[in-house]
Amino acid sequence: MATPEAGAQHHDHDHDDHDHGGHSHSDHGHSHAVPDSLRAFAMGAGLNFGFVIVEVIFGLYAGSLALLADAGHNLSDVLGLLLAWGAAWLSRRAPTRLRTYGYGRSSILAALANAMILLLGTGGIILEAISRLSQPEPVETGIVMVVALVGVAVNMGTALMFMAGRKGDLNVRGAFIHMVADGAISLGVVAAAGVIALTGWLWLDPLVSLVIAVAIIAGTWGLLRDSVNLAMDKVPTGIDPERVEAFLATRPGVSEVHDLHIWGLSTTSVALSAHLVRPGAELDDDFLSETCAELRARFGIAHPVLQVEEGRMACALAPRDVV
């Protein structure tokens, strides 16, 4: 392989996972900051855990299995928020010699875990609802309605904390969906309890639960898909790899682009590695700096790693089917 244009900037980062020999890279815009939602995760977990305690107390007092079941579901929310909170905290830790990309991918794992917790919790709701359809049980509608209304306030209030950051961070989006889903469940419980109080239709409670469960599954599926894709290093949503390759191919002196990889370092940070063939090129820090700045500005790629070759020898990583 030809001598790479390696004179750019050598930082104390070890790019073990994507290091194909000598390389040039720039850390312009590379940041390990976390969104303001870090405090929201802590507050949301605290509020929801407090509500779980309230549901257990009143569920036992009223003999309401529905409230006790919902308390179990809300406990899964607390676990999900704690996972997201822990991931957000871990993402603030600096890289080490062994963990050269830091702990940013913990946010991807947390988003995946949140999606799975949501689906498992919803499965429990469906099983309980089917059981109650065949054997409806009396409902203490007054206590259920009051506690469920408190649940609506707690869940929607927590969801508002994550509303602003839900589009830019899959982890925050998972927490937002979690809270909105729980708010919808609580609202459905209030409506069902009110109608039951007026009509005595005990079957309405499990029927409403089934409808809400289906809606939650529909909303969670996209979160599960996106988090699995990030965990499998798929190109993050919103980035067109063909446009990125076309941009790199038009850079001054570049005759070929190969071994292009784009993946998520976390739910908010995107990395890229590529080989650029520049026949007869000399060391050019300005070329690398400008290319990295453009990748960030055009595509939101904050951590590009570029290896420059003269092209006098065939690169073993040039074929598209070679990783």
Side-chain angles (χ1 to χ4, degrees), residues 65-308:
L65 182 61
L67 282 182
L68 291 175
D70 192 50
H73 176 69
N74 282 319
L75 185 59
S76 73
D77 296 343
V78 174
L79 294 176
L81 287 171
L82 289 175
L83 276 173
W85 183 18
W89 176 79
L90 279 175
S91 68
R92 302 179 67 186
R93 299 187 62 182
T96 67
R97 298 296 294 180
L98 295 179
R99 298 187 184 276
T100 56
Y101 283 125
Y103 295 82
R105 290 181 75 85
S106 63
S107 61
I108 298 175
L109 295 178
L112 179 59
N114 260 327
M116 296 178 68
I117 289 173
L118 261 173
L119 291 176
L120 288 173
T122 304
I125 293 174
I126 291 174
L127 291 176
E128 177 65 21
I130 292 175
S131 174
R132 282 179 173 250
L133 277 174
S134 59
Q135 295 180 334
E137 299 180 12
V139 177
E140 295 286 342
T141 55
I143 293 178
V144 171
M145 288 179 69
V146 171
V147 176
L149 281 172
V150 174
V152 172
V154 169
N155 290 312
M156 291 306 181
T158 306
L160 287 174
M161 299 180 192
F162 300 111
M163 180 175 289
R166 73 188 189 281
K167 293 183 179 179
D169 187 337
L170 192 63
N171 210 22
V172 175
R173 177 179 153 201
F176 177 78
I177 293 176
H178 231 131
M179 294 300 100
V180 171
D182 283 352
I185 290 174
S186 296
L187 196 59
V189 170
V190 172
V195 175
I196 291 172
L198 294 175
T199 63
W201 295 345
L202 298 179
W203 51 265
L204 189 60
D205 181 49
L207 181 63
V208 170
S209 297
L210 281 175
V211 172
I212 293 173
V214 171
I216 293 173
I217 291 174
T220 304
W221 194 253
L223 174 65
L224 179 64
R225 180 197 62 228
D226 291 345
S227 56
V228 168
N229 284 339
L230 278 178
M232 296 296 291
D233 287 337
K234 183 180 179 182
V235 176
T237 302
I239 296 180
D240 185 345
E242 293 185 358
R243 288 185 58 203
V244 174
E245 184 172 3
F247 161 73
L248 292 174
T250 59
R251 296 297 294 154
V254 174
S255 63
E256 179 188 340
V257 177
H258 60 258
D259 197 35
L260 173 63
H261 299 278
I262 306 171
W263 71 101
L265 288 176
S266 69
T267 53
T268 57
S269 180
V270 181
L272 169 149
S273 68
H275 291 198
L276 307 181
V277 179
R278 300 184 78 206
E282 298 179 352
L283 298 179
D284 190 345
D285 287 2
D286 289 337
F287 167 82
L288 290 170
S289 179
E290 292 168 5
T291 300
C292 291
E294 284 293 311
L295 284 170
R296 179 177 179 85
R298 292 171 180 248
F299 307 105
I301 298 173
H303 192 120
V305 179
L306 303 174
Q307 176 167 309
V308 180

Side-chain angles (χ1 to χ4, degrees), residues 7-92:
Q9 300 161 357
H10 293 284
H11 300 282
D12 291 330
H13 292 283
D14 295 325
H15 298 278
D16 297 330
D17 295 335
H18 295 269
D19 188 358
H20 309 310
H23 65 271
S24 299
H25 74 279
S26 172
D27 279 335
H28 292 298
H30 185 68
S31 173
H32 298 283
V34 294
D36 293 336
S37 56
L38 183 62
R39 181 178 298 177
F41 284 128
M43 294 177 61
L47 281 173
N48 279 270
F49 184 68
F51 181 59
V52 167
I53 295 175
V54 170
E55 281 193 306
V56 169
I57 292 173
F58 282 95
L60 291 173
Y61 176 77
S64 172
L65 182 61
L67 282 182
L68 291 175
D70 192 50
H73 176 69
N74 282 319
L75 185 59
S76 73
D77 296 343
V78 174
L79 294 176
L81 287 171
L82 289 175
L83 276 173
W85 183 18
W89 176 79
L90 279 175
S91 68
R92 302 179 67 186

